[in-house]
Amino acid sequence: MKFNLGDRVKFLNQSGGGVISKIISPMMANVMTPDGFEIPTLSSELIKVDKSGKVASMFDLAIS
């Protein structure tokens, strides 16, 4: 899946998520967590979350 800067995402294999802060490559992006940490993550391990979409109802959207 292609991600853009500012997309809200959740981690597929662990709890938490954040906002895409940097596109490192087509296969990797930095995710800024609510704590302010940037975590380099493979795109295949991320799920895009839309506040008003069906996916949002399945996750806690405590991302600010």
Side-chain angles (χ1 to χ4, degrees), residues 35-47:
D35 298 335
F37 293 102
E38 287 195 44
I39 302 171
T41 309
L42 290 172
S43 298
S44 62
E45 296 182 8
L46 296 172
I47 299 174

Side-chain angles (χ1 to χ4, degrees), residues 1-54:
M1 173 176 252
K2 182 175 177 169
F3 294 98
N4 297 309
L5 292 177
D7 285 349
R8 293 179 183 275
V9 295
K10 287 286 188 178
F11 299 119
L12 186 61
N13 297 320
Q14 60 186 10
S15 63
V19 177
I20 300 291
S21 60
K22 180 180 181 181
I23 305 297
I24 298 170
S25 73
M27 295 174 48
M28 184 165 277
N30 272 0
V31 178
M32 174 85 64
T33 65
D35 298 335
F37 293 102
E38 287 195 44
I39 302 171
T41 309
L42 290 172
S43 298
S44 62
E45 296 182 8
L46 296 172
I47 299 174
K48 188 185 280 189
V49 179
D50 181 14
K51 280 187 175 183
S52 61
K54 291 181 182 178

